[in-house]
Amino acid sequence: MPRILLAEDDEIMRVTTYDQLVKCGWEVDQAEDGRQALALVEQNHYHLILTDIRMPRLDGIALLKEVLRLSPETAVVLMTAFGRVEDAIACLKNGAADYVLKPFDMDDLIIRVRRLIEMQRIKLRCTSLEERLGARQRIIGSCATTRNLLDMIARVAATDSTVLVTGESGTGKELVAAAIHYGGPRAKGPYIRVNCAAIPEGLMESELFGHEKGSFTGAVGRRTGRFEQADGGTLLLDEIGEMPMGLQAKLLRVLQEREIERVGGTRTIKIDVRIICATGKNLALEVRNGVFREDLFYRLQVIPVEVPPLRARKEDIPELSRYFLDEFSGDLKRTLKITANTLRILMAYDYPGNIRELRNILERVSVLASGPVIEPWDLPADLVGQGNRQRVFPGGRLAEVLAHAEKECLMQALAASGGNRTEAAKNLGISRKNLWEKLKLHNI
């Protein structure tokens, strides 16, 4: 629920405005002067502050400066009965979100407040969109293993339960987490991602829960954490197995109580966040080794979702390969294709790096291939050399296999061009002289 602070020294104006704001369903605190308002700002987080400019002890302009320092994401609306156009411009330049002249129409004020609160929600969603750029990609594949995964995602997304996504590195755990978020009732809420392995241990607590001004060296103002940013949406804790033991206890409390405390704070903050965790580690083994809390493990594994490795869904490799080549075709401004023999070699490999490795291989060959058609000899030598040639050709050493493939390709190019060597060389992406040398080498 949006929380508003109303700072007004005129009691009649304050009570009247307070009643109207509360009727709109907002949580509203009142302050009789600037000092009292500043004390409340130091203790609480407000989405919006509505303050008079002329107040005893601390005026609205000074309060605005303090709010911008302590809580820069909070919108401040200044009210005055002694305003000029120049004053309004100066206030807006100094960071005020809006400027209202008294006496004002209450309906107009409510509209302005609604607009500013909605703008804050939009900014939060934009931040979420920037962070998850590229995360909302569809899961490619149609084999039975992939269909089972997609069916599990659909069933999990409809709930609000905590999910633990496991799988080897490069299998697409983040895509699965994003699919769960966007497939559920929280799809319109923020989707915030945190990589627990990428944040230094000393900063992780502040990153997750936020901090109050002065809670540690360098904390010059209040900062909201990822849990608050994800309120009403989903928080993905990636690489959860890397979370320090001390923070694991705090995370367990958050999952149980659905509330947090900022670092250095004394007030509990209620949150409405769905938690999705992802890891490439065996958390059950981590529990036995004493580096992961057993109670947290069982609390996270309400619904386990295991993402299969690529070697368990090799039937998807042709579809994945075409998807990636279409992507690279746009970048390279040429249409890339792949032969059946090349696909057979790709499907014979076990991919310890999973889908990420397949994508990297195809990106490399799409850049280095001599022509727009990806042939077996365009692939890295280790792919062709790990027994895959036996599945493409009836035996022979690597040099013999490549020579056989090159000869076959030359003959197909000549057949397609009706024997026209100039056209065949053009189709192969080589010079006519180079074609002549290869034909001589293969006695064609």
Side-chain angles (χ1 to χ4, degrees), residues 104-378:
F104 48 79
D105 180 77
M106 194 61 67
D107 290 337
D108 177 65
L109 179 66
I110 297 300
I111 290 172
R112 291 170 183 250
V113 172
R114 286 189 194 279
R115 187 188 71 239
L116 290 171
I117 290 175
E118 184 60 29
M119 285 297 296
Q120 286 189 334
R121 288 174 177 160
I122 292 172
K123 286 180 182 178
L124 184 58
R125 292 202 68 192
C126 287
T127 301
S128 175
L129 284 167
E130 289 174 0
E131 290 190 350
R132 67 175 180 254
L133 184 63
R136 194 183 178 185
Q137 299 173 353
R138 68 188 183 94
I139 298 173
I140 306 299
S142 55
C143 73
T145 302
T146 305
R147 290 199 305 270
N148 290 337
L149 175 63
L150 293 173
D151 180 63
M152 171 67 83
I153 290 172
R155 285 183 284 144
V156 169
T159 73
D160 211 24
S161 301
T162 302
V163 180
L164 179 62
V165 183
T166 59
E168 297 177 9
S169 177
T171 52
K173 295 186 292 295
E174 284 196 35
L175 296 186
V176 171
I180 292 172
H181 168 73
Y182 289 112
R186 294 177 178 265
K188 293 184 179 181
Y191 176 52
I192 304 296
R193 297 181 296 163
V194 179
N195 188 330
C196 298
I199 303 173
E201 182 175 342
L203 298 178
M204 189 175 295
E205 184 176 4
S206 172
E207 185 72 20
L208 292 176
F209 306 119
H211 62 253
E212 297 290 349
K213 174 190 173 184
S215 56
F216 54 85
T217 303
V220 296
R222 177 187 296 127
R223 182 182 186 277
T224 57
R226 297 305 183 97
F227 273 96
E228 287 183 78
Q229 294 174 17
D231 193 44
T234 302
L235 178 66
L236 169 62
L237 297 176
D238 198 9
E239 300 297 344
I240 187 65
E242 302 296 334
M243 180 172 284
M245 287 288 284
L247 274 182
Q248 290 178 26
K250 294 190 176 182
L251 176 59
L252 179 63
R253 180 178 178 275
V254 171
L255 292 172
Q256 292 172 340
E257 305 296 334
R258 295 293 170 178
E259 60 185 26
I260 64 167
E261 286 185 11
R262 297 195 190 101
V263 177
T266 57
R267 184 175 66 90
T268 59
I269 302 170
K270 289 290 185 181
I271 56 167
D272 175 26
V273 177
R274 180 179 194 173
I275 306 297
I276 300 178
C277 297
T279 182
K281 290 187 173 183
N282 184 336
L283 290 188
L285 181 60
E286 296 290 292
V287 169
R288 289 196 293 272
N289 292 336
V291 294
F292 201 85
R293 291 179 62 104
E294 184 176 17
D295 49 2
L296 178 59
F297 170 62
Y298 290 118
R299 187 65 183 82
L300 293 178
Q301 199 173 228
V302 176
I303 302 180
V305 176
E306 184 175 359
V307 186
L310 185 55
R311 60 182 174 274
R313 43 180 291 209
K314 285 190 174 183
E315 299 91 333
D316 290 336
I317 289 178
E319 192 174 348
L320 285 163
S321 299
R322 294 185 183 97
Y323 175 82
F324 291 137
L325 289 177
D326 286 344
E327 176 187 340
F328 302 140
S329 293
D331 296 337
L332 299 173
K333 295 181 173 58
R334 62 172 179 169
T335 302
L336 298 168
K337 296 182 179 180
I338 191 166
T339 66
N341 283 341
T342 307
L343 279 176
R344 281 196 287 271
I345 294 176
L346 289 174
M347 292 181 69
Y349 183 56
D350 280 340
Y351 298 97
N354 292 294
I355 297 175
R356 185 184 294 124
E357 184 180 7
L358 172 63
R359 187 184 188 280
N360 290 342
I361 290 171
L362 290 172
E363 184 175 11
R364 186 195 323 170
V365 300
S366 66
V367 173
L368 300 179
S370 57
V373 179
I374 309 299
E375 298 285 359
W377 51 84
D378 292 317

Side-chain angles (χ1 to χ4, degrees), residues 345 348-349 381-393:
I345 294 176
Y349 183 56
D382 54 346
L383 254 71
V384 182
Q386 290 188 12
N388 292 305
R389 63 183 182 274
Q390 300 294 339
R391 306 184 187 188
V392 183
F393 302 109

